[in-house]
Amino acid sequence: MSERRKITLPAGKPASTDADPRRKPLRPNAPVKRNRVRTAEDSAPRPERAPQPERGTPGDATRARQDARAVPTPRQAPEDGRVRLSKLMSEQGLSSRREADDWIEQGWVSVDGEVVTELGTRVWPHQQITIDPMAHAQQAQRVTILLHKPIGYVSGQAEDGYEPAVVLVRPENRWEGDTAPWQFTRGHLNKLAPAGRLDIDSTGLLVLTQDGRIARHLIGEDALVEKEYLVRVQSMAQPEAENVSAVVPEEAMEQLRYGLWLDGKPLKPAKVSWQNEQQLRFVLREGKKRQIRRMCELVGLKVVGLKRVRMGQVVLGKLPQGQWRYLRPDERF
């Protein structure tokens, strides 16, 4: 037998059980890994985890907080049945909303005997509203002007280089047949606004008013005032036809009277009849943008001339084109 050699380890180093001298010794107090015996539970399939929402970057959260601060929280109206005082005054026909706000600020409106001066005040519908005579006196001084608008003028604000029709309201353009008792002043142009549009390519009666009650009566959401038009048309299928009424089927006329849709909504019933071989008479109770022209296109007709001759009980009459007159005290729409 060969003799065994005695190996002396350096002091302070524990003996290693691994034959590989490169293996690092265990750290003091380090946990020792032990082989675990597998059980039946380990072999069972693990339940699927619910998908976690995608996480954004820290910048996303910051932007979300900034957006939340930027969007104001809408002020909730009380659910007890109260309404804005100005809205109630408009619904009762006492004034327009703009007039109501002006009168409230002036201290001319009382509710159940108490003066209200704060805009946005809400009241009960059954409460008694009283208007100071000063407000009625101011309202009576407001004028309404009837203008025979020519082609080439827009009804409202100037646009695309075209002038508004109100520029025609000048002393030299006042109709000599006007019997209204008022003398024209520059104050009559203050806040004078059109009550209803008339296309740039259309002529006829245009109402300009300072009175919010008249504007609401003519063009409000619940307005039922009739507007009458004379419309010269041409058949798209037979543009050379002189007797247009002879080539338009009765079905098309029925559609014009009722059954057409514009802007995704059905139109209200209209009165449509032939005035002569080339001219239709329309009576409407609504006024969508370019409504008559669009209605005619839907049934194969092209409008070549359009003139408004009546609004309610007020007619254009003999008023010359480009001239104007005052609405008389005895006239009502």
Side-chain angles (χ1 to χ4, degrees), residues 309-321:
V309 296
R310 177 173 66 89
M311 294 185 72
Q313 301 178 55
V314 176
V315 298
L316 180 65
K318 297 180 180 180
L319 181 64
Q321 191 171 119

Side-chain angles (χ1 to χ4, degrees), residues 120-172:
T121 298
R122 294 180 177 273
V123 299
W124 300 100
H126 64 267
Q127 289 185 275
Q128 181 66 37
I129 300 174
T130 306
I131 308 299
D132 191 286
M134 288 289 293
H136 291 302
Q138 183 194 65
Q139 194 176 57
Q141 294 174 0
R142 296 182 176 180
V143 299
T144 296
I145 287 175
L146 311 178
L147 171 69
H148 188 161
K149 188 189 86 66
I151 291 175
Y153 290 86
V154 294
S155 299
Q157 298 295 326
E159 57 182 66
D160 299 330
Y162 294 101
E163 289 185 301
V166 70
V167 302
L168 296 172
V169 182
R170 300 191 296 264
E172 61 269 26

Side-chain angles (χ1 to χ4, degrees), residues 18 37 45 79 172-173 189 193 215 244 246 279 288 294-295 330:
D18 196 335
V37 179
E79 300 295 337
E172 61 269 26
N173 289 340
L189 298 176
V244 185
Q279 198 171 55
K288 295 182 180 294
R294 294 163 68 192
M295 289 174 67
D330 62 310

Side-chain angles (χ1 to χ4, degrees), residues 203-270:
T203 67
L205 179 60
L206 180 65
V207 177
L208 303 163
T209 184
Q210 295 177 325
D211 193 333
R213 296 173 305 168
I214 290 179
R216 182 177 181 275
H217 179 65
L218 293 176
I219 60 175
E221 294 180 359
D222 54 350
L224 296 175
V225 176
E226 289 186 344
K227 291 93 173 177
E228 183 177 346
Y229 304 81
L230 296 179
V231 185
R232 189 170 298 277
V233 294
Q234 187 179 72
S235 171
M236 293 181 180
Q238 302 181 50
E240 71 285 351
E242 294 186 4
N243 187 350
V244 185
S245 63
V247 299
V248 176
E250 184 59 28
E251 293 78 5
M253 295 294 293
E254 290 300 326
Q255 282 187 301
L256 288 174
R257 294 177 184 122
Y258 186 63
L260 296 178
W261 288 57
L262 288 180
D263 303 325
K265 296 182 179 179
L267 296 176
K268 295 179 181 178

Side-chain angles (χ1 to χ4, degrees), residues 1 56 58 164 183 187 193 199 207 266:
M1 295 180 62
Q183 182 69 32
D199 297 337
V207 177

